[in-house]
Amino acid sequence: MSVKTSGRENWGSKVGFILAAAGSAIGLGNIWKFPYIAGENGGAAFIFIYLICIAVIGLPVLIAEVLLGRTTQRNPVGAFKALSNSPYWTAIGAMGVIAGFVILSFYGVVAGWSFGYIFEAIKGSFYEFEQPNSAADFFGSLTSNVAWIVGFLALFMCLTMFIVYSGVQKGIERGSKILMPLLLIILIILMIKGITLDGSEKGIAFILQPDWSLVSGESVLLALGHAFFTLSLGMGAMMTYGSYMSKKDSIPGASLQIVFLDTFIALIAGVAIFTAVFATGLDPAAGPGLIFQTLPVVFTKMPGGYIFSIMFFLLLTIAALTSSISLLEVVVAYFVDEKKWARKKAVIVFGTVTFLVGVPSALSFNLIADVKLFGLNFFDLADWLASNILLPVGGLFISVFVAWVWGFDKVLVELKRGAESLFDNYPWIITFWKIFIKYFSPVLIFLVFLHSIGVLDLIIDLFK
Ligand code: PFF
């Protein structure tokens, strides 16, 4: 590989890489989305399917993405360019950079709510609620306030920019080393609090008892799609982080740890949230409103709720922040590597651009709520475009490229770097990875994609 990488930054340590990548993976997807989709789709039954998806698609694709980054020491565009020299494959990398903008624009809005809720928790605003309805009205009044919603989006983007601005080691790695342990400690405290509440057993049963009657074909596809989003796959975030990784470290080993941390956090977030919701006798199937409408009411009813509410929204904001920095880093790395921009300039320019792209998403809750494209407002459109089109298509092509285009002999040489003893002792790992990345991942991702654009449903209807 003759790619010039002089002067490019690297992670200071293997643990720095693992924490940063786990920080990217662990985000709103784990704490906000996973608990309610698991709850609505059969609890442990859904979790079982989700774990299979993580093992069969998530882990193999994560390994492939990190490998592409580490081999080329480049951002997604540069990585595909270096290995394929084809404009078509380079376009897949470019799609990742675009996905970075699109995701950050709506992700930043929800992260901004979470940030704003820390202040509401400190002010004690939640004590005014008796019923989820009043919490829902309160949420509605905040999100319809343009200054509040745009202001917190701006503040959250400033935090994101501040960390990325300081560089790979001094910003992202240092930030992750402080924020990730803090996140884990807060979540464990909240979980212990949840488990020790009277009536918490019902919450544990809800999330851990399999109810196969709630599992449908739709749930399987949901599990597959979520496995993707939660591991930050399909848009080159893990490729970019992998590009700062040392060739002395084992990619399969690090990837396994990232997947483990991500899954573990999602599970304990589910336990912490549902034990508290059930112990206060509220409705568990609150869907996406669970966090911003149901939980504030839970906190008012719980002993010590004031402090736990602050901790919870701090936790959610930290989780979102360590993910959003990875999204901005994809865009920044592209301009630094390919366009030779200074990091600081790239951060300021593209942090600001992403904020501006996020404004229509923020205004979808107030001023331009009625402006719809394909029946969706800007916020839903950005979410839909990223989750249903850009990420699955990106992931599909990443698997196909690594498995079929790059040349499997070269792939194995790179994969074995830093993992020599692992492969000597367990040669079957390669066989499994090969089967998964060549066959399972592309086929399953393709099915999810067909489903998300509605084609699969049409085909299924034809056979009915
Ligand atoms: N993995 C993040 C979450 O679960 O919230 C979301 C995400 C971050 C997706 C970064 C994609 C990405 F590149």
Side-chain angles (χ1 to χ4, degrees), residues 25 36 62 79 150 156 245 270 316 406 430:
Y36 82 77
L62 175 61
V150 176
F156 181 79
M245 190 185 181
L316 191 63
W406 183 357
I430 294 193

Side-chain angles (χ1 to χ4, degrees), residues 38-60:
E40 285 172 352
N41 289 277
F46 177 85
I47 294 174
F48 178 71
I49 298 168
Y50 167 79
L51 291 178
I52 295 179
C53 295
I54 289 276
V56 174
I57 298 193
L59 185 59

Side-chain angles (χ1 to χ4, degrees), residues 22-31 99-100 103 107 226 228-238 262 319-320 322-324 326-327 330 391:
S24 170
I26 297 163
L28 296 171
N30 301 59
I31 297 166
I103 298 181
Y107 204 80
H226 187 65
F228 231 70
F229 186 78
T230 192
L231 290 174
S232 307
L233 298 176
M235 54 145 297
M238 290 302 185
D262 184 72
T322 52
S323 298
S324 64
S326 72
L327 289 161
V330 174
L391 295 188

